[in-house]
């Protein structure tokens, strides 16, 4: 819905942006609608074909709040510390229907989101970059919303693919220097962020919501392999 909204602002109507998905603009506003990873990839490819600005994935990522993820998002919002926020984000990441795998690591004076390039979908390089740009923007936007002020901005972002022409958009939306052509893709924060307390932290509520996420995760049916 966020991506369709961003494209609509560029004059690309839902008929074009949702082409090939079997979805309508009305269905996106229905909470009973279920969508698939394949459908989202189709809309991303439509955006790559129809949009005239490389800012589309950045704008989309900045418009998806944590509350859009239901119980998973609320569990993140209530995390007692940012360290637990990182842990919960990775543990229940499947509930976000992710297109990219994600982990985190604590090393030296840094804490980092890590993105291995073993994505679960077949993609051209332009699609992978589109998805990475959206994901990085979401992560930076979400952590800013969790903490008061800009005390813990990212230190840097490292990306494994070559620099595109619109590198300025990365720095604008992430708020840090960006390096391309690196051995791995990561978004790096100062280690001190792990001890920070989110604005809506509440240990008991976080525990209840994590128990709910455990139950939902047990109900999620996923398939792997060629047939999956």
């Amino acid at each position: 819905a966020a991506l369709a909204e961003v494209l609509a602002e560029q004059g690309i109507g839902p008929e074009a942006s949702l082409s090939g998905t079997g979805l309508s603009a009305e269905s996106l506003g229905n909470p009973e609608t279920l969508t698939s990873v394949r459908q989202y990839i189709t809309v991303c490819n439509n955006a790559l074909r129809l949009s005239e600005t490389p800012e589309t994935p950045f704008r989309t990522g900045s418009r998806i709040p944590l509350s859009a993820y239901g119980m998973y998002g609320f569990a993140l919002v209530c995390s007692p510390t940012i360290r637990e926020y990182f842990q919960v984000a990775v543990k229940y990441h499947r509930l976000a229907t992710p297109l990219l795998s994600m982990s985190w690591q604590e090393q030296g004076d840094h804490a980092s989101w890590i993105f291995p390039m073993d994505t679960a979908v077949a993609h051209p390089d332009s699609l992978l970059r589109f998805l990475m740009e959206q994901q990085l923007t979401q992560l930076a936007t979400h952590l800013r919303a969790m903490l008061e002020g800009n005390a813990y901005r990212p230190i840097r972002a490292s990306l494994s693919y070559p620099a595109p022409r619109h590198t300025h958009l990365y720095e604008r939306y992430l708020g840090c220097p960006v390096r391309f052509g690196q051995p791995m893709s990561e978004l790096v924060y100062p280690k001190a962020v792990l001890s920070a307390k989110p604005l809506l932290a509440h240990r008991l509520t976080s525990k209840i919501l994590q128990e709910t996420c455990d139950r939902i995760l047990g109900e999620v049916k996923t398939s792997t392999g060629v047939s999956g």
Side-chain angles (χ1 to χ4, degrees):
L3 179 51
E5 179 183 279
V6 168
L7 292 173
E9 292 172 357
Q10 300 173 27
I12 302 168
E15 298 80 9
S17 64
L18 299 175
S19 176
T21 65
L23 297 168
S24 65
E26 292 73 22
S27 67
L28 294 184
N30 182 352
E32 300 299 321
T33 298
L34 298 178
T35 60
S36 69
V37 168
R38 185 183 297 276
Q39 286 171 314
Y40 191 72
I41 291 175
T42 298
V43 181
C44 290
N45 280 320
N46 290 341
L48 287 166
R49 177 171 52 87
L50 299 171
S51 177
E52 296 182 357
T53 172
E55 197 170 355
T56 296
F58 297 95
R59 291 177 184 170
T60 303
S62 68
R63 294 191 189 185
I64 303 177
L66 284 170
S67 57
Y69 293 107
M71 291 301 174
Y72 170 61
F74 296 131
L76 288 170
V77 167
C78 296
S79 298
T81 65
I82 295 300
R83 178 185 296 277
E84 290 171 82
Y85 169 85
F86 274 66
Q87 293 169 342
V88 170
V90 172
K91 181 178 181 180
Y92 301 109
H93 195 213
R94 281 172 57 201
L95 296 181
T97 319
L99 282 82
L100 300 173
S101 56
M102 181 181 75
S103 61
W104 77 281
Q105 72 175 13
E106 178 183 349
Q107 189 173 31
D109 295 329
H110 301 140
S112 309
W113 293 114
I114 305 294
F115 304 92
M117 292 295 98
D118 56 347
T119 52
V121 294
H123 54 75
D125 290 343
S126 58
L127 176 59
L128 173 61
R129 190 177 66 202
F130 187 101
L131 296 174
M132 280 294 300
E133 290 167 349
Q134 179 182 319
Q135 183 67 60
L136 287 167
T137 306
Q138 285 176 226
L139 290 171
T141 300
H142 292 165
L143 201 52
R144 279 197 298 269
M146 292 285 290
L147 299 168
E148 190 170 10
N150 295 314
Y152 298 105
R153 299 177 72 88
I155 297 173
R156 69 176 183 275
S158 298
L159 294 162
S160 59
Y161 49 82
R165 294 181 179 178
H166 53 275
T167 56
H168 64 286
L169 293 175
Y170 286 79
E171 297 184 359
R172 182 198 306 174
Y173 280 89
L174 302 182
C176 65
V178 183
R179 304 172 182 172
F180 294 91
Q182 300 300 303
M184 64 187 301
S185 294
E186 60 180 340
L187 185 61
V188 183
Y189 285 86
K191 183 180 178 179
V193 74
L194 297 176
S195 302
K197 184 178 180 179
L199 291 170
L200 300 179
H202 195 280
R203 186 168 295 279
L204 181 58
T205 304
S206 174
K207 183 176 180 180
I208 292 170
L209 288 169
Q210 287 186 53
E211 291 173 352
T212 303
C213 286
D214 282 325
R215 177 179 56 78
I216 297 172
L217 201 58
E219 297 171 355
V220 172
K221 292 181 173 61
T222 56
S223 300
T224 58
V226 176
S227 60

